[in-house]
Amino acid sequence: MVMDRYLSQIAVKEIFPAGQKVIESSSIVVVGVGGIGSAVAEMLVRMGIKNITIVDDDLIENSNLNRQAMFKESDIGLKKVDVARAELLRIDEEISINVIDQKLSFYNAEDILSQADIIMDGTDNYNARNVLNVVSFNLKKPWIFSAVEGTYGYVKAIIPGRTSCLSCFGYPDKGEGISCTIQGVIPSAVRAIASIAVTTAVKVLLEKEMTGDLLYLDVWKPSLEIMSIPRNDSCKVCGERRL
Amino acid sequence: MKVHIKYYAKYRDTIGKREEDLEVEEMTVKSLLDLLRGKYPSLGGDKTSLLALNNKFQRDETKLSDGDTVSVFPPVSGG
Ligand SMILES: [Zn+2]
């Protein structure tokens, strides 16, 4: 049954022939199981990721249901990681899934991220992304930055030692940001950014993404911009001349 | 000299335009951002706005040239 599951994606020349094996043997950590994180986790498990860790300490609320994959009315009040775990196992009962019912912080990040081949950013604030940026750099783990609000969002691959990092271009390193419920976000933008994040992750795993360009997508206009972000020698996280 | 400024995301609404040409003195990326913050207070609310020069992010001290295109993006935090 599982054998033919991936035939259609293996037929894509960017994945064929060896890519599927790489996907299936990769370990992934999804930090934050909200709009982007839940869609990313679901897509990656459907594509054949067998080893996944999900990190979130939130409960499911009614206001999540317009955009967050896997969650349903009957799940309101339950822990996101518990429901996501059950749903991901319904998609593929052979996955190995590790659930962390915590917020990512400098206290737990090294433990949580150290086994990952790639880390997916499903967070919704500057503090957590700063933890991801600093700890991933120290561990030499690639991660995919993704963020969304309104009708637009960003995606960028961050590969320590090769690309620029989040701090190289001055992304804020502290603050809670403004939550999606208050700021406003269109569900289709969340899914579009999640789709690009998943594609970028697969490219990094297959060593076909080395640039670390910042992609900006607005689903309403619609428009797509790609900006190169050179490494910053003086970057306080990854710069070679950092103090 | 003349530079072409493009605004993205929420700045298009708060500033009320998508792009404009500005006549400026010789200046750096940083001083252009300061000038824009003076002109448009809504930009000043973000401690960090991201500036790309001709589709490439530049450090604050990079000097602008006549005909440059500068793109101004807000930070985005949602997920
Ligand atoms: Zn950096």
Side-chain angles (χ1 to χ4, degrees), chain A residues 35-36 123-126 129 147-148 152 154 169-171 177-178 216 221 225 227-230 232, chain B residues 6 8-12 18 48-50 52 55-59 71 73-79:
Chain A
I36 292 175
T123 67
D124 62 358
N125 66 84
Y126 302 126
R129 287 198 183 89
V148 67
Y152 45 81
Y154 298 117
F169 65 100
Y171 188 82
I178 305 168
Y216 165 88
K221 192 182 175 198
E225 307 274 336
M227 284 151 295
S228 95
I229 303 190
N232 177 349
Chain B
K6 292 163 85 174
Y8 287 89
K10 68 178 179 189
Y11 293 156
R12 291 179 167 174
R18 289 177 180 277
T48 322
S49 302
L50 316 174
N55 286 333
K56 186 172 179 183
F57 274 84
Q58 293 295 348
R59 288 242 230 110
S71 311
F73 297 85
V76 169
S77 68

Side-chain angles (χ1 to χ4, degrees), chain A residues 95-165:
Chain A
I95 59 170
S96 156
I97 179 162
N98 184 19
V99 159
I100 315 260
D101 176 18
Q102 294 171 23
K103 261 193 205 345
L104 192 79
S105 71
F106 281 111
Y107 299 104
N108 61 15
E110 197 172 318
D111 264 1
I112 293 171
L113 304 178
S114 62
Q115 298 307 313
D117 293 308
I118 193 161
I119 301 151
M120 305 302 292
D121 167 19
T123 67
D124 62 358
N125 66 84
Y126 302 126
N127 291 328
R129 287 198 183 89
N130 182 51
V131 173
L132 265 180
N133 194 46
V134 170
V135 177
S136 301
F137 179 78
N138 292 340
L139 295 171
K140 304 283 175 258
K141 300 288 183 184
W143 68 286
I144 309 299
F145 160 59
S146 49
V148 67
E149 77 180 38
T151 61
Y152 45 81
Y154 298 117
V155 178
K156 170 178 165 45
I158 296 171
I159 310 172
R162 187 178 284 274
T163 72
S164 52
C165 81

Side-chain angles (χ1 to χ4, degrees), chain A residues 165 167-168 235 238:
Chain A
C165 81
S167 193
C168 282
C235 171
C238 77

Side-chain angles (χ1 to χ4, degrees), chain A residues 44-56:
Chain A
L44 285 169
V45 167
R46 288 191 187 280
M47 286 182 77
I49 288 279
K50 300 295 181 198
N51 204 317
I52 183 168
T53 298
I54 52 177
V55 186
D56 202 308

Side-chain angles (χ1 to χ4, degrees), chain A:
Chain A
M1 184 177 82
V2 171
M3 295 300 284
D4 58 3
R5 179 175 300 185
Y6 308 118
L7 284 179
S8 66
Q9 68 200 49
I10 294 171
V12 175
K13 73 173 187 337
E14 282 77 3
I15 305 238
F16 182 85
Q20 187 61 31
K21 276 208 180 73
V22 175
I23 293 170
E24 288 178 41
S25 60
S26 298
S27 286
I28 200 140
V29 177
V30 180
V31 181
V33 192
I36 292 175
S38 60
V40 158
E42 191 202 285
M43 261 186 275
L44 285 169
V45 167
R46 288 191 187 280
M47 286 182 77
I49 288 279
K50 300 295 181 198
N51 204 317
I52 183 168
T53 298
I54 52 177
V55 186
D56 202 308
D57 70 341
D58 270 351
L59 305 179
I60 297 165
E61 297 173 34
N62 193 27
S63 63
N64 302 147
L65 297 189
N66 72 329
R67 65 186 182 285
Q68 301 193 5
M70 303 189 285
F71 306 147
K72 302 175 183 64
E73 281 188 341
S74 53
D75 302 326
I76 291 170
L78 301 177
K79 285 183 190 299
K80 286 184 177 178
V81 284
D82 290 342
V83 174
R85 177 178 187 278
E87 288 297 308
L88 294 172
L89 282 166
R90 279 159 59 107
I91 294 166
D92 183 347
E93 63 183 9
E94 289 179 358
I95 59 170
S96 156
I97 179 162
N98 184 19
V99 159
I100 315 260
D101 176 18
Q102 294 171 23
K103 261 193 205 345
L104 192 79
S105 71
F106 281 111
Y107 299 104
N108 61 15
E110 197 172 318
D111 264 1
I112 293 171
L113 304 178
S114 62
Q115 298 307 313
D117 293 308
I118 193 161
I119 301 151
M120 305 302 292
D121 167 19
T123 67
D124 62 358
N125 66 84
Y126 302 126
N127 291 328
R129 287 198 183 89
N130 182 51
V131 173
L132 265 180
N133 194 46
V134 170
V135 177
S136 301
F137 179 78
N138 292 340
L139 295 171
K140 304 283 175 258
K141 300 288 183 184
W143 68 286
I144 309 299
F145 160 59
S146 49
V148 67
E149 77 180 38
T151 61
Y152 45 81
Y154 298 117
V155 178
K156 170 178 165 45
I158 296 171
I159 310 172
R162 187 178 284 274
T163 72
S164 52
C165 81
L166 209 56
S167 193
C168 282
F169 65 100
Y171 188 82
D173 62 2
K174 53 174 96 51
E176 285 298 318
I178 305 168
S179 86
C180 282
T181 307
I182 293 163
Q183 179 70 47
V185 67
I186 190 169
S188 56
V190 176
R191 296 298 180 116
I193 291 297
S195 292
I196 295 171
V198 165
T199 312
T200 308
V202 170
K203 287 170 70 182
V204 170
L205 289 173
L206 303 187
E207 298 184 0
K208 289 177 178 171
E209 167 63 55
M210 303 294 178
T211 67
D213 289 346
L214 182 73
L215 185 143
Y216 165 88
L217 174 72
D218 185 333
V219 294
W220 192 268
K221 192 182 175 198
S223 75
L224 179 69
E225 307 274 336
I226 293 166
M227 284 151 295
S228 95
I229 303 190
R231 292 183 67 183
N232 177 349
D233 283 350
S234 317
C235 171
K236 65 182 185 217
V237 176
C238 77
E240 268 149 35
R241 292 190 288 129
R242 67 186 180 275
L243 299 172

